[in-house]
Amino acid sequence: MRLTVGQATVRFLAAQHTERDGVEHRLIAGCFGIFGHGNVAGIGQGLLEAELDAPGALPYYQARNEQGMVHAAVGFARMRNRLSTLACTSSIGPGATNMVTGAALATINRLPVLLLPGDVFATRVADPVLQQLEAPHSPDVSVNDAFRPVSRYFDRVWRPEQLPAALLGAMRVLTDPAETGAVTVALPQDVQAESFDWPAELFARRVWHVARPVPEPASLARAVDVIRGAERPLVVAGGGVIYSEATEALRAFAEATGIPVAETQAGKGSLPYDHPLALGAVGATGTTPANRFAREADVVIGIGTRYSDFTTASRTAFQEPGVRFVNVNITGFDGAKHAGLPVVADARVALEALIEALRGWQTGAGYRELAATLNADWDAVVEAAYTAGHTPLPAQTEVIGTVNEVSEPRDVVINAAGSMPGELHKLWRTRDPKGYHVEYGYSTMGYEIAAGVGVRMAVLDHEPDRDVFVLVGDGSYLMMAQELVTAVQEGIKIIVVLVQNHGFASIGSLSESLGSQRFGTSYRYRSGASGRLDGDVLPVDLAANAVSLGVRVVRAGSVDELEAALRDAKAAPADGGPVLVHVETDPLAGAPDSDAWWDVPVSETASLDTTRSARAEYERHKKAQRPLIGPERTKENDA
């Protein structure tokens, strides 16, 4: 077949599928793109031909910001449990480098996205072309080399003959749960438009099997031996539990063994919030029950978690001197963390094997009863936060509570940055494994709205009853709200709750705790008297901004008005486009404390009393920090 590289790429991607447990999915369900001179005649022309000659083969979606379209693809992939994703194409230069942040987010969160940035001329016949970086020491370097450290796979196709190997390598990584992340295939703009005679088998329907690796018997036996010797074991459930569709297996494991379950941000929803063995969030943004059990645990069973500093409360969460780690993970890299005993396997398969191997063993009745009691006690704390009655402006916890009350169990809440991820982690009552979507691996401001578009796209064809609630602060909204226009254009219904508190509330609180007096975190005029940003509040009207983008907007002045607006938005047509509810909150209204710590350095020397006081508090917490690198305990070294 004689096709251009751009046409061949589009045709190849349309033929790729995944399969797990006998169920097939389209691997690349569509392509976002913003066109420029670096891709309009290549990938762009290929997408046009596909739309005209084979409608639906690889649907094209128009985006407004290259970073935003990657976030949408990530949201799509996460909702589809990494079995399906979207491609993103850009021109060269700033269009390409705009995607680097999205690539980092995808790779850090182990989520597959395919990036197809345009690149410079392979022939160099017109160097330097518009937007080309000239590197005197290495003429083959382009700005796309910035993708290398944030991609799980990177290739640049200098000649058409290289395309088949590059695309097959890209699909291998996208479909490997242990390797997946951002996959970047850079396409020089002249090569994209160059034609070549391709073998027909390149475009044949191809199904990539997504395996469920089984645990190695010796590793499983060692893990069982450690767990059987535990008196106070604790499960830390991470995102791997969700992506491997292991939530029912986790419930069965917890109920069979009586081991309580704490959850990371990505793992929240692994158990329903009201399960008697569900302790909720763990770590720096955790619940007091989960953090109490973490402090006293003698064996921690990590399942599908990468143990971020928030999960471990900067290595202060696990205080038992002899604590041991059993880490069930698809990757040996994560399985070996904290000098743990790695069980490298699919989460669901490993949990099923552990249930069988531990048959007849349970934790003590008192231990299980304590978990249930503390769970109920924490739920009362949540209820108080949801109904705080804070005046004159509501607390952010009341906004969260209202959204939780109005949303159905299968609806999805989305957030990524600011103070809301911490409050959602500890307060949101999860009722469905896919109902909680907080990106806290990279915590990218601006992720929320774009990801909401991607999540809604992911559920439209098979779960259209799921509404998507996007919680976004004014800071994140100002970073990236452009994909609201995409939602308007495509008739994508997302319910955006825009929380206006006139600044960076999360960093303001952190700044205050570090003795930096909320410096640079409020949106204020520069004062003529002081010369500082401490004047009146800026007259920014974000609700009016959303209206100008074509969004239906409702202003809520109270919790009651918020609830009414959300119920009205729920009743809106499924294809009616986005609805935004604007509500103002008090940035100083607090949330329940996690009884945990996060390591953010404080200035060692300072003239400010507030900073010196914060440094003393910091040094107190540092004393509880542990390296978690001790060797695995055995009968021999115990003796």
Side-chain angles (χ1 to χ4, degrees), residues 228-261:
R228 283 186 177 274
E231 293 182 1
R232 299 176 304 281
L234 174 68
V235 166
V236 174
V241 174
I242 308 288
Y243 303 143
S244 66
E245 299 170 350
T247 55
E248 287 304 314
L250 177 63
R251 181 201 290 259
F253 174 78
E255 292 173 354
T257 62
I259 301 177
V261 175

Side-chain angles (χ1 to χ4, degrees), residues 88-293:
C88 299
T89 178
S90 78
S91 187
I92 75 167
T97 53
N98 276 351
M99 297 197 294
V100 171
T101 294
L105 181 148
T107 296
I108 284 171
N109 286 285
R110 278 62 160 175
L111 291 166
V113 294
L114 175 62
L115 309 181
L116 302 171
D119 215 317
V120 298
F121 274 66
T123 60
R124 303 184 191 169
V125 66
D127 282 5
V129 298
L130 177 65
Q131 300 174 332
Q132 177 174 343
L133 170 73
E134 292 186 89
H137 64 285
S138 185
D140 66 339
V141 169
S142 81
V143 295
N144 287 346
D145 286 274
F147 283 99
R148 291 182 185 272
V150 295
S151 298
R152 292 295 290 176
Y153 177 92
F154 177 92
D155 199 359
R156 182 182 281 114
V157 179
W158 290 113
R159 292 182 54 81
E161 294 94 325
Q162 298 170 341
L163 183 68
L167 290 177
L168 290 169
M171 299 305 107
R172 175 188 63 80
V173 175
L174 286 172
T175 58
D176 184 345
E179 290 292 323
T180 198
V183 166
T184 302
V185 178
L187 298 169
Q189 55 188 302
D190 53 344
V191 175
Q192 286 186 48
E194 187 176 342
S195 61
F196 188 75
D197 291 320
W198 308 96
E201 57 263 35
L202 179 63
F203 310 114
R205 187 177 190 275
R206 194 180 302 266
V207 180
W208 298 81
H209 174 66
V210 179
R212 290 191 180 275
V214 300
E216 189 256 339
S219 296
L220 182 68
R222 294 170 67 199
V224 169
D225 183 58
V226 170
I227 295 169
R228 283 186 177 274
E231 293 182 1
R232 299 176 304 281
L234 174 68
V235 166
V236 174
V241 174
I242 308 288
Y243 303 143
S244 66
E245 299 170 350
T247 55
E248 287 304 314
L250 177 63
R251 181 201 290 259
F253 174 78
E255 292 173 354
T257 62
I259 301 177
V261 175
E263 298 167 326
T264 70
Q265 279 280 15
K268 191 168 171 68
S270 295
L271 281 185
Y273 81 95
D274 55 355
H275 192 283
L277 289 168
L279 299 173
V282 69
T285 54
T287 69
T288 51
N291 285 335
R292 172 176 169 175
F293 273 71

Side-chain angles (χ1 to χ4, degrees), residues 336-366:
K337 287 179 177 177
H338 303 322
L341 194 164
V343 179
V344 180
D346 172 79
R348 193 174 85 184
V349 172
L351 282 165
E352 291 168 348
L354 285 170
I355 291 170
E356 183 62 30
L358 289 165
R359 191 173 298 279
W361 179 88
Q362 266 200 336
T363 60

Side-chain angles (χ1 to χ4, degrees), residues 265 284-285 310 396 400 414-426 436 438-448 471-477 479 499 501 503-510 521 523 587 591 598:
Q265 279 280 15
T285 54
F310 263 70
Q396 188 168 265
I400 291 171
I414 296 178
N415 188 240
S419 56
M420 278 189 281
E423 294 183 10
L424 285 163
H425 193 206
K426 68 182 76 167
Y436 183 87
V438 173
E439 189 286 297
Y440 218 53
Y442 208 42
S443 186
T444 307
M445 296 181 71
Y447 174 82
E448 297 92 340
L471 292 179
V472 61
D474 52 333
S476 276
Y477 182 94
M479 289 273 184
V499 179
N501 50 36
F504 301 121
S506 173
I507 297 304
S509 177
L510 178 64
T521 61
Y523 295 159
W598 182 38

